[in-house]
Amino acid sequence: MSALALFGGTPVAPKGIDENWPEVTETDIAAVTDTLRSGRLSWMNDDQVRELEREWAGYTGTAHCLAVNSGTAALHAAVAAAGIGPGDEVIVPALSFLASATCVLHHQGIPVFADVDPVTFTLDPSDVEHRISRRTKAIIAVHLHGLPADMAAVSEIARRHGLVVIEDAAQAHGATVDGVRAGALGDLGAFSIMAGKNLATAGEGGLLTTNDTGLRNRADAVKMFGETIDPDGHRDYHAHTLGWNYRFSSILAAFTRSQLARLDTYIDETRAGANRLTGTLSELPGVLPPVVPDGRTHVYHHFRVRFDPAQAGLDVAPGPFRRVVGEALTAEGIPVIGYQNRPLPGQRLFAERVGYGRGCPWTCGHTARTVEYRPEEYTSTLAVISGSLLVGSRLCPASFRDPAAISAYEDAFVKVFGRLGELAAYARTIDYAEPWEDGDRLW
């Protein structure tokens, strides 16, 4: 075996791996140009958005879908529809993208963080139970990386405490639990369809799903200036609540509808690549590929790998080991990245309770208790961040569908983990700080 590229050897993939996404076909281009030529480009005469809403509701098995202009807008509309108001608390996983928590702030609610399961990286139901107070109104269950959270346990907790369950399914298009698709597993579902997602639009967009007509109508008012719009588009210019302009473009809807026709094929191909790579990595000492519990399916928007140096027989801390493994794989031409490098409660917005300024919404007179954020409480989240990397550059469907890319991933991992002694020796020489300890960067 040749020397590691990190130490002067020949890289496995000297040209790197192509990860362009989304895949754009002539059918997609025709869908967009036909919509432009139709002249039906306003919400007042558009039919593409309505058709996308109908098709996505049918795909997820829900009664209703609203298309909005971002996944963040979908989350905010879900929080508002759930009746979250000033001082109300919402349980959110400590490991997720920022919007999973800021959507609560958008409606003056208070995010309360819970730890994640260190194996699935999704919300830990046992920790959720400890975080509930008399002001808790909802749980946001994030299907992180494309694997659904433990919805049976989350839903059982929610029933006992009378809480609304919101699925943050931004990364989980087509994922299932016992045959039920994400978006139909809670009271409300929120998807992102920005151009990097498994179901993509040509820019930014979001989809909200629910089986409850009342929730759908409240979310629709948030989407449209607080107004109630009839199914035929009649508008009386009467705001019933505070609303925003979260409307979605007909052109983007046409592109997404064309992509939706191929979504199941994308899922099957991505999953096949992920399963193949999982099989190879499972044979390597100290490598822990994604785990999929019985009854759930994973769509691999991300492929997170944990590293356990002790399991590999090395006396090295997980953080330094993860860093040198990342450097070694990168040198071999394999893209690997950190993702969410600090717990959400460790971001300044929450740690210092910046909010809207002057401490709001935490100190605006509607809270029942003082909610403080201590990142050290979330031990599993910290362990996951310290000891894992994403394979690929956050675009698994772009490369995992390509057998040649999977071969390169396999070859690089086998090569790197065939040189454990060299990695351990190097890890002991580096100056190391955990990702969440890095100082602020000024651009």
Side-chain angles (χ1 to χ4, degrees), residues 84-92 101 104-105 107-113 135 350 359-364 366-373:
I84 307 304
D88 291 336
E89 296 176 7
V90 179
I91 307 293
V92 180
V104 180
L105 295 182
H107 236 63
Q108 306 290 326
I110 307 295
V112 173
F113 295 102
R135 290 301 300 269
F350 301 106
C360 290
W362 293 275
T363 60
C364 288
H366 296 285
T367 56
R369 63 184 180 124
T370 300
V371 176
E372 296 181 343
Y373 302 106

Side-chain angles (χ1 to χ4, degrees), residues 43-44 50 229-235:
W43 73 270
M44 293 176 284
R50 292 189 184 90
I229 308 298
D230 293 343
D232 63 1
H234 175 73
R235 182 181 186 185

Side-chain angles (χ1 to χ4, degrees), residues 282-303:
S282 297
E283 301 298 319
L284 301 177
V287 182
L288 307 175
V291 172
V292 183
D294 290 344
R296 300 187 229 177
T297 63
H298 202 316
V299 295
Y300 297 100
H301 178 65
H302 294 155
F303 189 97

Side-chain angles (χ1 to χ4, degrees), residues 49-59 65 257:
V49 172
R50 292 189 184 90
E51 285 301 300
L52 174 60
E53 290 172 339
R54 181 186 63 79
E55 290 169 3
W56 189 246
Y59 183 87
C65 171
R257 290 183 65 204

Side-chain angles (χ1 to χ4, degrees), residues 341-342 346 348 432-443:
N341 291 325
R342 66 186 66 227
R348 179 176 294 171
Y432 179 77
E434 297 291 0
W436 56 87
E437 295 173 344
D438 285 345
D440 292 335
R441 290 175 289 179
L442 298 178
W443 301 100

